Structure formats: structure tokens, C-alpha cells
Amino acid sequence: MTDTITAPWTSEQVAALEQFQTASGMHPFTCGADLHSLPPALVPSHSGWYCPDPACDYRQDWAHTFMTNPSAWPKPFGDRHGPTPEEAHDAVLAAISNQSAANVPGATTEQLPADVLALLDTGRYLSTACETGRLLDEAIVRNPDRGDLPGWRDRMHTRCRLNHKFTGVLCGCPCHEEKP
Ligand SMILES: [Zn+2]
Ligand SMILES: [Zn+2]
Ligand SMILES: [Zn+2]
């Protein structure tokens, strides 16, 4: 038999097991309790598998090691529906590399390849944060009694991610200009 892993599992392992259950193209682990006519697929958690039926307390604390390794899942054949193992693999990798990594200031992970960018007329870019800051400026003028608005505006400008997520064009907001 194959190697097994025993709970507790990491978030990465849980994400991979979730993908395995729904998208691997292989038969998912199902509940081993007798009370179901059609055993439901088990749901992975940090502390192991559990049965999605709230009336069922079936638990299982082990999984096959290959279940957490999408590249070990079988390749698609015929006209199988749902995501391919490659797509499932990418989904797991996305879950593994902290989703928010693409949103930190200066991140280039989502940027298009240079040869594609060369075909685009990207023009000026104002980040959503700085754009919201500008909108707050207008709101400040209209609502001088709201003393909290300048704080929100300043916060928005400090939240700017600086470069366009997909094109890398730098934010054109004046707040980024060096003050002498
Ligand atoms: Zn069950
Ligand atoms: Zn700004
Ligand atoms: Zn900005």
C-alpha cells in the first residue's frame, strides 16, 4: 500500500485533500458509517476527515500521502467533466501560496508577460485605493463637519498597492511624489 499521513494536517494539506475529494478524477474518500444508503464524501479538516452529515460522527484521521500531491493524480481521459488535474494542481498551488500575496504593494505575481503587455495601451493607472482617496477628498469638501473623513482618505492613500496588479503600471496618484 501507499504511504499515509495522519492528522493533524496543515492548511496546505487540507486544501489539497479538499481538491482531491472534488477534482482529482479519483474516487473520493467516503463515510464508513453504516447509516447512509449513499455514503457522502468525507470533508478534510486540520484534525482529520469528518462526515458532512451532522447526524453522523464518523471521523478518520489518515489519508494517503499521494492525495495531497496533485501531480500524482491521474491524467484526464475521455471527456471527463470538471477541472483537469492540471487545473486542480494550480488551484492547490494558489491556495498554498497565500492568496493575498498578489495584493501586497509591489507584487508582480499576476503581471502579464512583457510581450503581451507590449500590445496593450495601458495609459495612466490610479489604484483603487488612491482613487477612493480622491473620492474621499470630494466627500470632505461636501461634508466639512465629518472630522473622520481625512483620516479615511490618508488611510486609503497608504493602502495603495503602487503597481497595477496585471500590467505593472505605476499608480499615478500625486501622493506618491517625493516631497522635497
Ligand atoms: Zn457519515
Ligand atoms: Zn494616492
Ligand atoms: Zn497610489
Side-chain angles (χ1 to χ4, degrees), residues 27-46:
H27 190 67
F29 267 2
T30 52
C31 180
D34 287 332
L35 66 154
H36 315 285
S37 52
L38 215 65
L42 294 177
V43 179
S45 75
H46 290 289

Side-chain angles (χ1 to χ4, degrees), residues 127 130 160 171 173 176:
S127 75
C130 285
C160 179
C171 175
C173 180
H176 304 301

Side-chain angles (χ1 to χ4, degrees), residues 22-167:
T22 54
S24 70
M26 296 180 77
H27 190 67
F29 267 2
T30 52
C31 180
D34 287 332
L35 66 154
H36 315 285
S37 52
L38 215 65
L42 294 177
V43 179
S45 75
H46 290 289
S47 54
W49 302 101
Y50 65 90
C51 177
D53 182 345
C56 177
D57 59 4
Y58 184 81
R59 299 290 181 272
Q60 182 179 313
D61 68 352
W62 65 271
H64 297 295
T65 306
F66 77 84
M67 293 170 81
T68 59
N69 176 15
S71 53
W73 300 346
K75 297 284 175 261
F77 48 88
D79 56 351
R80 198 172 61 78
H81 296 293
T84 65
E86 282 80 7
E87 285 163 346
H89 182 236
D90 288 347
V92 171
L93 287 184
I96 289 169
S97 69
N98 183 1
Q99 303 277 5
S100 66
N103 287 320
V104 304
T108 56
T109 47
E110 297 257 10
Q111 201 166 308
L112 290 166
D115 60 321
V116 176
L117 285 176
L119 304 174
L120 304 182
D121 180 14
T122 44
R124 267 173 61 82
Y125 161 62
L126 193 63
S127 75
T128 47
C130 285
E131 188 184 6
T132 309
R134 298 279 195 91
L135 292 175
L136 278 158
D137 267 332
E138 294 165 19
I140 288 165
V141 172
R142 289 193 305 268
N143 305 276
D145 52 317
R146 287 292 300 263
D148 58 328
L149 293 183
W152 284 110
R153 175 200 55 200
D154 295 346
R155 179 182 149 85
M156 289 323 297
H157 286 291
T158 60
R159 295 272 292 157
C160 179
R161 69 183 309 283
L162 304 177
N163 58 351
H164 189 286
K165 185 175 181 177
F166 300 109
T167 64

